[in-house]
Amino acid sequence: MSQIQYVDDLIREYLLYRGFSGTLKMFDAELKVDKEKGFRVDKIVDQLMQFIYTYDLTGLKELWGHLDQKMFSKLENEFTPAIRKLESSVLKLYLVNAVANNKPDKVTEFFSRLTPDLQGQPEWKDWFMLPYVKNPEESPVFSVQFTRTWQDTLVVSLHNFLAIIYQAMPMPVLANYEEEAGRVRRLTEENDSLRLRLASLQQRSSLAPEVLPLPDLMDDFYIIAQEIPAGMEVQGKSLKTLIRTIGGGLPTSPIMGRKPQEQSHKRNNSKRLSTTPTNVWGKTAGDGTGLTKRSVSLEARSRTRNTQREVSLDRTGKMSRQGFLLLSQEEMTEHKSAVTQCQFNASGSVVASCDVDGVIKVWSPAPQPKLLSSHCHKAAVLSLDWVSKNERYLVCGSRSGTAALYDSRDSKTLWEISVEDKARIVSVACSPTESVFVSACVSAQNQGKLLLHDIKSKKLERTLSLGPGPQSLYATCCAYNHNGQLLVAGCSDGTVRTLDLRHSEVIDSWSGHQGAVTALQLTPDQNHCYSLGQDNKLYRHSFNQTKQPVWETQLPYSATCFTLDQSGQHILMCGQNGASINQISVGGVAPVLKLSSTSVAACHWANANQCGTCVTAGLDGKVEIFTLLTP
C-alpha cells in the first residue's frame, strides 16, 4: 500500500498549487488522526499493541470498531468467525498484559465495561473467573495465553490478516495510475526489445542466404507453430526454440533433414558458417558439417535421420539445451572511476550504478545501453537500493555517512540526511512492503551501527542491535525477506544474523566464515540464504535448520560478489579472475559459461521470460551487459 502515501503527497501538492490552503490544513489535520495510518499494517498493529501496553481500553475498542466498520463488515459471512476469534484474542492479550503487570484495577474495569457484550460468548465463559484465580499463568485454562509463543503468533496472525485484506481491497483509480503506467511501460519496453532481437536474427539470416534460405526459415516458423500449442505460457519456449533453430540447426528444424549438395557449394559457404555465433561449448553451429538441402517429405527426413552427422549434431543439441546461450554483449562506459554497485530495479528494465566519484547513473540495458539520468554527489557512493513498488526512486549511501533519496526521473536529489557522522554507509536495503530503509554504517574505528529510517519523514525510527559479539562488530551487507518482517545481515565477525524488525531483536545467528561476510542473498523461495566470506567459502543456510549449513563449498578462485538467477539453481560468481556462471550441485559449483576475464567488483542478474541479463562492473569504470538465453 505504499502508493497511498504517494497519492497523499500528490493531493497535497495539487491543493497547494491551487491555493486551497483551508482544504490543505483540514487534509493534514485529518491525516494526523488517521486511524488506518495510511494503510500501513505495521503502524496499525503497533497502535493496537500500544493501547494494550498502556491499558487504554477505550482506544483499543475504538480502533477495532473502526476497522470492523471500515473493512471487516464488508467481508463475506464465512470470515465472520475468524474475525470474532481474532478480536477475542486481542482482548485476552489485554487481560494477560494487565495480570502480568499486576494491574487488578484494569482487569476489574475490563469486565465491568465489557461483561454485557461478552457474557453470551462461549469462549469467554471461563475468563470471568480470571480476577479470582491466583497465578493464572499456571492454570490449564489460561496458561497458553501467558506464553510468549501464543502472543507472538497472535501478532503475526493479526499482521498477516490485515495485510491480506489491504491487498485485496479495490484501490481508487488515482492510486493505481502509476502502477498501471509502469506495467504498460515495462510491457512496451519488453516488446520493443524482443522485436529488435527478432529483427537482428532475421538480418543475420539474410547475410547467408545459401545457408538459411527464406523458404526454409518460413518452414521453420510453420513447424514451430504446429509443434507448440498456442497460449501465453509457451511464448517464451517458442522464442527459445526459434532462436536455437536459426542459430544452431538443432534437430527441431527441418534443416536437419537436408541432403548434401555439391562440394563446391559447400566450400563457398564454409566461410560464412564460421561467422555464426558460438554456443556455450565454444563451437560454431556449423563446425565439421556440410551444407544440406531440404528433404522433399517428412518420410525422407526420417530415413536420413540416423546418419553419423545427424547423431553427432543431435548429441551437441542436447548438450546446448543444458547450458546458457550468449545472445549479445554490450559495454557501458559512462563511469570514469571504480564502480561500487550496480542493481536492476524490480522489473529488470532499468539499472542503477554508482562509483567512487559520487556519480549515480540510471540507464536501460536493452536493446542498447541508454543513459536515462545522471547525478553527482559530494562524496563517494558506496551502496544503493531501489525503493520498493516505485521504480522512480532509489536510496544511496555515501562514504561520508549521508543517505540520499534520488529521483531517477527528474535527475535530482529529493533529500539528503546525515545518518552517521564521519562513517561510511557500506550497505542500504529498502523494505519490500513499507517506506523504510536500513543502513549499515562503519566508523573509522571499525565500529558499526545498523539504523532504520523512514523515507517519508526522513527520521531515524530506531537503532537495530546485532546482538552479542565483539566491540568492533558491524554489518557489512543486509537484505530483507519477502514481507519485510525479517532482516538478514552479514557481519564483520563472519556471522550471518537474522533480526526480527517488529521486536528489534536478533532471533538467529549462523557462524562459519573466517573473516567478514562480503555478500549474501536469499533464495527465490525465501527458505535459504547464501553467504560469501573473505575466506572464499560459499555457504547455504536454511532458515528451518540454523545450527549448521546445509551446503558449503570452497571456491577454487577469489570471489568478491555473487548473484543468483531466478530459479536459484545457477550463480554468477565475480572477482579478480572475471565473471562466470556456475551451476549449483551437491559437490559444489560447476562452471557453465565464462562471461568475462577482467576484474569485477559488482554484479547483478535479472530475468524476463527465457532471456536473462547479467551486468558486471569493474574498477576501471566499465560496465558489461550480457544477454543470455536461459536453459
Side-chain angles (χ1 to χ4, degrees):
M1 306 294 289
S2 60
Q3 66 269 31
I4 296 298
Q5 286 80 30
Y6 178 65
V7 174
D8 290 344
D9 292 340
L10 291 180
I11 294 175
R12 185 181 290 104
E13 181 183 1
Y14 175 77
L15 294 177
L16 186 62
Y17 174 77
R18 294 296 306 275
F20 298 151
S21 57
T23 305
L24 180 60
K25 290 180 180 178
M26 184 62 66
F27 180 68
D28 289 334
E30 292 188 351
L31 283 180
K32 291 181 180 179
V33 296
D34 180 22
K35 293 186 183 326
E36 297 182 6
K37 307 297 181 182
F39 295 96
R40 291 185 58 176
V41 176
D42 60 333
K43 296 294 185 182
I44 296 176
V45 175
D46 289 343
Q47 184 64 66
L48 288 172
M49 300 307 296
Q50 183 69 21
F51 287 146
I52 292 175
Y53 294 146
T54 58
Y55 315 106
D56 188 352
L57 184 59
T58 301
L60 181 64
K61 288 292 294 181
E62 287 181 355
L63 179 55
W64 191 271
H66 173 79
L67 296 176
D68 193 9
Q69 181 182 3
K70 185 72 178 293
M71 296 185 302
F72 302 157
S73 61
K74 299 178 182 180
L75 299 177
E76 300 291 338
N77 294 331
E78 59 186 17
F79 296 103
T80 302
I83 296 171
R84 296 297 167 239
K85 185 175 181 180
L86 198 58
E87 179 183 10
S88 297
S89 299
V90 172
L91 295 177
K92 289 177 182 178
L93 182 60
Y94 177 91
L95 287 174
V96 168
N97 181 68
V99 172
N101 291 277
N102 196 19
K103 298 288 184 179
D105 55 327
K106 298 299 180 181
V107 178
T108 304
E109 177 192 5
F110 178 89
F111 285 108
S112 62
R113 291 181 56 181
L114 300 184
T115 295
D117 299 330
L118 303 178
Q119 62 183 357
Q121 301 180 19
E123 61 270 20
W124 284 95
K125 179 180 179 181
D126 297 331
W127 281 79
F128 288 104
M129 63 179 182
L130 178 65
Y132 312 102
V133 177
K134 293 183 179 181
N135 300 325
E137 63 275 5
E138 299 177 359
S139 172
V141 179
F142 311 110
S143 59
V144 175
Q145 284 75 17
F146 279 86
T147 61
R148 180 68 180 272
T149 302
W150 182 86
Q151 298 172 12
D152 290 345
T153 303
L154 172 60
V155 174
V156 173
S157 300
L158 181 61
H159 188 284
N160 293 340
F161 182 72
L162 293 175
I164 292 174
I165 290 180
Y166 281 138
Q167 290 295 331
M169 285 178 58
M171 289 288 101
V173 177
L174 185 60
N176 285 332
Y177 172 76
E178 187 174 12
E179 183 179 353
E180 292 295 332
R183 183 182 297 109
V184 172
R185 184 176 64 255
R186 290 193 300 270
L187 291 175
T188 302
E189 293 174 352
E190 184 177 344
N191 289 338
D192 293 341
S193 175
L194 294 176
R195 190 179 295 110
L196 289 174
R197 286 173 180 165
L198 182 59
S200 176
L201 292 171
Q202 290 176 341
Q203 184 178 5
R204 291 180 185 179
S205 65
S206 64
L207 295 177
E210 296 85 354
V211 178
L212 289 176
L214 183 59
D216 294 343
L217 183 61
M218 295 305 297
D219 284 349
D220 288 345
F221 276 101
Y222 176 74
I223 289 181
I224 292 172
Q226 282 187 328
E227 294 179 351
I228 299 180
M232 295 297 294
E233 297 179 357
V234 298
Q235 287 184 357
K237 294 183 179 179
S238 62
L239 176 61
K240 179 178 177 180
T241 307
L242 170 61
I243 296 176
R244 283 178 169 166
T245 301
I246 296 176
L250 299 183
T252 56
S253 170
I255 299 174
M256 296 298 300
R258 296 179 183 174
K259 296 179 181 180
Q261 292 184 354
E262 296 179 358
Q263 187 67 21
S264 60
H265 194 176
K266 180 168 60 178
R267 285 195 302 269
N268 292 335
N269 289 293
S270 58
K271 186 174 181 180
R272 301 188 184 187
L273 283 170
S274 64
T275 61
T276 58
T278 59
N279 60 16
V280 297
W281 303 103
K283 297 181 180 180
T284 61
D287 284 347
T289 63
L291 197 62
T292 57
K293 182 178 67 177
R294 178 174 304 281
S295 58
V296 296
S297 66
L298 292 176
E299 183 178 353
R301 179 171 59 182
S302 63
R303 286 197 300 266
T304 61
R305 194 179 184 108
N306 293 326
T307 63
Q308 183 177 358
R309 172 182 174 274
E310 298 288 341
V311 172
S312 62
L313 283 177
D314 184 70
R315 185 182 301 111
T316 305
K318 292 179 180 179
M319 293 173 66
S320 299
R321 285 192 291 271
Q322 296 174 0
F324 290 81
L325 182 65
L326 181 59
L327 299 180
S328 64
Q329 179 177 349
E330 305 289 345
E331 190 175 275
M332 200 272 289
T333 57
E334 294 290 336
H335 289 282
K336 306 305 178 184
S337 59
V339 178
T340 55
Q341 189 173 353
C342 55
Q343 185 168 340
F344 282 94
N345 60 356
S347 63
S349 59
V350 178
V351 181
S353 54
C354 54
D355 59 30
V356 295
D357 287 341
V359 177
I360 295 179
K361 302 286 185 180
V362 178
W363 46 281
S364 173
Q368 298 290 336
K370 178 182 178 182
L371 184 64
L372 303 179
S373 66
S374 179
H375 188 73
C376 184
H377 287 264
K378 299 178 182 179
V381 180
L382 303 181
S383 55
L384 58 81
D385 193 18
W386 290 91
V387 176
S388 303
K389 298 185 178 179
N390 196 326
E391 300 181 351
R392 178 174 178 175
Y393 306 104
L394 56 90
V395 176
C396 55
S398 71
R399 180 176 291 171
S400 61
T402 60
L405 181 66
Y406 177 66
D407 187 342
S408 63
R409 184 179 302 175
D410 295 338
S411 301
K412 65 179 181 179
T413 300
L414 299 181
W415 52 254
E416 185 172 0
I417 58 176
S418 178
V419 175
E420 188 69 16
D421 188 28
K422 296 181 180 180
R424 61 188 188 276
I425 303 178
V426 296
S427 178
V428 294
C430 295
S431 170
T433 57
E434 307 296 340
S435 58
V436 296
F437 72 94
V438 168
S439 60
C441 310
V442 183
S443 66
Q445 294 76 25
N446 285 336
Q447 294 181 350
K449 289 185 178 180
L450 197 58
L451 306 175
L452 180 67
H453 280 81
D454 189 285
I455 296 178
K456 295 293 183 179
S457 64
K458 299 174 289 185
K459 295 181 180 179
L460 174 65
E461 287 200 351
R462 58 185 181 271
T463 300
L464 303 176
S465 173
L466 291 174
Q471 186 177 1
S472 60
L473 177 67
Y474 60 87
T476 58
C477 48
C478 51
Y480 277 92
N481 73 330
H482 66 288
N483 59 11
Q485 301 280 332
L486 303 177
L487 181 75
V488 183
C491 300
S492 57
D493 61 347
T495 61
V496 178
R497 305 178 183 222
T498 303
L499 288 78
D500 186 347
L501 298 181
R502 295 166 302 176
H503 302 95
S504 299
E505 62 181 3
V506 177
I507 61 175
D508 204 357
S509 177
W510 316 320
S511 62
H513 290 289
Q514 299 296 323
V517 178
T518 58
L520 62 83
Q521 184 176 347
L522 276 65
T523 56
D525 59 7
Q526 301 287 311
N527 292 326
H528 297 82
C529 174
Y530 282 90
S531 62
L532 176 66
Q534 289 181 341
D535 54 1
N536 223 36
K537 286 186 178 181
L538 186 66
Y539 286 105
R540 181 174 71 223
H541 283 271
S542 171
F543 288 106
N544 299 322
Q545 304 173 7
T546 58
K547 300 301 180 182
Q548 297 293 332
V550 297
W551 178 89
E552 64 179 282
T553 185
Q554 178 71 50
L555 299 178
Y557 46 84
S558 176
T560 56
C561 57
F562 73 92
T563 181
L564 299 170
D565 72 335
Q566 63 179 355
S567 67
Q569 301 298 320
H570 294 86
I571 184 171
L572 173 62
M573 301 295 305
C574 301
Q576 296 180 354
N577 296 329
S580 62
I581 295 177
N582 299 267
Q583 184 173 9
I584 301 173
S585 61
V586 177
V589 291
V592 175
L593 177 62
K594 183 73 172 180
L595 295 181
S596 173
S597 299
T598 59
S599 178
V600 176
C603 64
H604 207 210
W605 192 342
N607 293 84
N609 293 331
Q610 292 293 326
C611 293
T613 304
C614 294
V615 175
T616 62
L619 300 178
D620 56 357
K622 292 183 180 180
V623 180
E624 292 187 293
I625 306 101
F626 305 91
T627 303
L628 309 170
L629 188 65
T630 58

